[in-house]
Each structure stands twice: as C-alpha cells, then as structure tokens.
Amino acid sequence: MNCKEIWVIAEIRQGSLTRTTSQLLGAARKLAEQQGLHAAAVLLGGEQTQADELARKVPLILWVKEPRLETYEASRYAYALRQLIEVRGSPVAILTGAGAAGLEFLPRLSMSCDSAYASSCVDLWWEGSELACRRPVYGGKVYEELALSTKPAFFTVRPGAFAVPENLETPGKIEAVSVTVPEDLGLDLIERKRTTAGQKDLSEAARVVAGGRGMGVPENFKLLEELAGVLDGAVGVSRAVVDAGWFPHDIQVGKSGKTISPELYIACGISGAIHHVLGINTAKVVVAINKDPDAAIFKSADYGIIGDALEILPGLIEKLKV
Ligand SMILES: Cc1cc2nc3c(=O)[nH]c(=O)nc-3n(C[C@H](O)[C@H](O)[C@H](O)COP(=O)(O)OP(=O)(O)OC[C@H]3O[C@@H](n4cnc5c(N)ncnc54)[C@H](O)[C@@H]3O)c2cc1C
C-alpha cells in the first residue's frame, strides 16, 4: 500500500525543532508540490508546542504519541516508523537531518523496508518520478548524483542544504497516530548525558567559531566562547585540541568529528589539514586567522587574516559588540 506523501522525521533538540528540520520541511513542501504529493512531518513523542511549531511549516503533522519515544533511541524510532508505514502506507520518500540520530536510525529503517538510502545529501530534485540527490563522497573530493527508484526512498540531508521556509498562512493539521513500541527491543537505555551542557548545538549553529592548537592553552578558548556569544554561535575545535584533552570530542569539527554547514565559520589557530576542512566544505563563508601566511587553511577560506589570534580576537569582539 502506498500513500502520496513525503515525510520529514522531525528532530528536536533542547525542546525545539532543529533548523535542519525546518529547512527540510521547506524542501518537502516544494518537492511534493512539483509531483502532486503531500508533505508531512512525523513527530515521534514530543509535545504540543513542537507539534504547533511544525504546523506553522507543513500542512500535515503525523504525531506518534508513544511514551517510549520520549527519549531518542534508534531501534525504537526505526520500529515506530516501520509501524507507521504499515498503518498509513508507504510514502514516496522519507527525509531527516544527517545528524548523529538520523545517520543511525534511518539506514536501519531503510534496511527493514528493503529500500534504497542515500546519506548526507546536499540537494534533492526529481528525475521523472524518482527522487534524486547530490552528495559528497570520497571525503568530499567529489560529488555524486543518484536517483533512488524504491518507494519509499530514504535520505539524510545535511544542515544548510535548503532555506528555512516562510510560515504557512493556515497552520497544518495535526493528526494523532497510534503506534505501540514494545518495551524490549534488545537494548536498555540506562542514562543519557550531555557533555557540553549549555553550549549551542554545533551542527545547528548558523555561526561557528573554532580554535586549534594555535590558541596555545585551553584558557585562551574563553576568547572564542566570547566571540561565539556575541555572534549567537557555537564553539568548535580541531582534533589536535581534543587529542590534547582540552575539549570533548563532540565539538570536534572534521573527518572524524562533525560535518557542519554554518553560514559563517571562523577558524582561529587551525592549520587547515584536509581532515579538518572536510568537516566544513559546505560552510557558506570561512574566515581564517593564522599567523603563518602559508597555512593551508587560507586555501579553504573566503577571508584570511594573517596574525596572532590572541591579539586579533579581543579587538574583533569589541567591534562586533557595538
Ligand atoms: C584519520 C584522521 C582523522 C582526522 N580527523 C580530524 C578531524 O576530524 N578534525 C581535525 O581537526 N583534525 C583531524 N585529524 C588531524 C589533522 O590531520 C590535523 O593534525 C589537525 O587538524 C591539526 O590541528 P590544528 O590545526 O589545531 O593544529 P596544528 O596543525 O598544530 O596547527 C596549528 C596552527 O595554528 C597556527 N598558530 C599558532 N599560533 C597561532 C596564533 N597565536 N595565532 C594564529 N595562528 C596560530 C599555526 O600557524 C598552525 O597553522 C585527523 C587525522 C587523521 C589521520
């Protein structure tokens, strides 16, 4: 059984919808319109405020109010979505953000549906009746384009791939869907801890200020926190400072850390090794501050400042505060 819908699985962080979810709802609306389909958001667990937030962006919200989905866990999400497909019919496509959760539960779901899945896409469009995507491969050295012929077709999409849409004139309809998730799916979630409490989510931040070994000592990263505060952004770091034990891995940017797509990325005292810049190759504007004029980071930067970050940052913060 098929339904003429495109689903976006909503991601919620710190009580609100992620920026990527809003962007995907805009993309789903446009793609649905082009083929006479309907765009819908799927809210797993969650609260009325989040359902209302979704209703401002998409005409239909499928709200699975199951207490076992209150806390994210991949096998529960995959199970609930499989049930939703059973009761409602197979949508044409299922989209979610290419964050840690999406990259975990969506491939599981696609396997259980025996359907095609493309990860970390940066664009989506129709090739006839098939949904096609562009995505980086070989560590971002090349992009490939794929058209997925299965229904549903599954995609995780990187933050920043689409613009946040305008609110709808008439809020969408919220439809409660009954799905039961069994208690025992072979995994018990004992505890979940945030390691960077209070910090704005790195993957979601529109502005990121990042520091590397060139910042000298951990205390100097206060300057980056201050600049991030002024810009309403988040702090990221290179692997060298994670390896040195200065910061946790969850704010590392790069190949073995997070891939991010902020509107502005300011790299301070970061050499620009390939493993680092692979994490920012979809950032819109990159600014580099480095005292070595030959540093590789300047090849990836739109704007370069040659100089000592510790001298440049206080002045920059003062100017931006005004
Ligand atoms: C498999 C693999 C995966 C990896 N994954 C990642 C990853 O995900 N992310 C990542 O970042 N790295 C990753 N790395 C490591 C990567 O190759 C580099 O070693 C690392 O990025 C270097 O960090 P850095 O630029 O902070 O330090 P450095 O290379 O030591 O560079 C410090 C820079 O700071 C500049 N500097 C010094 N003092 C100042 C100052 N006062 N003001 C301004 N500039 C100054 C220097 O000129 C230099 O360019 C990976 C490596 C491997 C092998």
Side-chain angles (χ1 to χ4, degrees), residues 9 11 24 72 81 92-121 124 131-137 144-158:
I9 316 304
E11 298 170 291
L24 281 179
Y72 167 74
L81 289 164
V92 173
I94 301 186
L95 323 175
T96 197
L103 291 169
E104 188 182 31
F105 76 82
L106 209 67
R108 287 184 190 214
L109 179 63
S110 76
M111 282 295 290
S112 77
C113 296
D114 201 16
S115 276
Y117 160 67
S119 61
S120 302
C121 303
L124 296 170
L131 200 49
C133 66
R134 180 176 302 112
R135 61 180 196 147
V137 289
E144 72 172 4
E145 295 182 355
L146 301 167
L148 306 194
S149 56
T150 58
K151 305 256 178 321
F154 292 87
F155 301 88
T156 50
V157 181
R158 282 195 178 177

Side-chain angles (χ1 to χ4, degrees), residues 212-214 238-240 252-257 269-273 275-276 289-292 295 307-310:
R213 191 152 35 199
S238 73
R239 174 153 158 188
Q252 178 186 315
V253 175
K255 186 177 167 64
S256 53
I270 293 178
S271 58
H275 305 105
H276 184 82
I289 307 176
N290 197 301
K291 65 182 186 187
D292 175 4
D308 187 333
L310 304 180

Side-chain angles (χ1 to χ4, degrees), residues 258-313:
K258 288 206 161 116
T259 300
I260 56 173
S261 307
E263 281 156 27
L264 174 66
Y265 185 77
I266 306 181
C268 308
I270 293 178
S271 58
I274 180 72
H275 305 105
H276 184 82
V277 296
L278 283 175
I280 53 163
N281 57 13
T282 48
K284 299 271 180 322
V285 175
V286 175
V287 178
I289 307 176
N290 197 301
K291 65 182 186 187
D292 175 4
D294 296 323
I297 191 73
F298 290 126
K299 292 199 188 99
S300 309
D302 300 283
Y303 300 94
I305 304 172
I306 300 166
D308 187 333
L310 304 180
E311 286 170 13
I312 292 162
L313 284 168

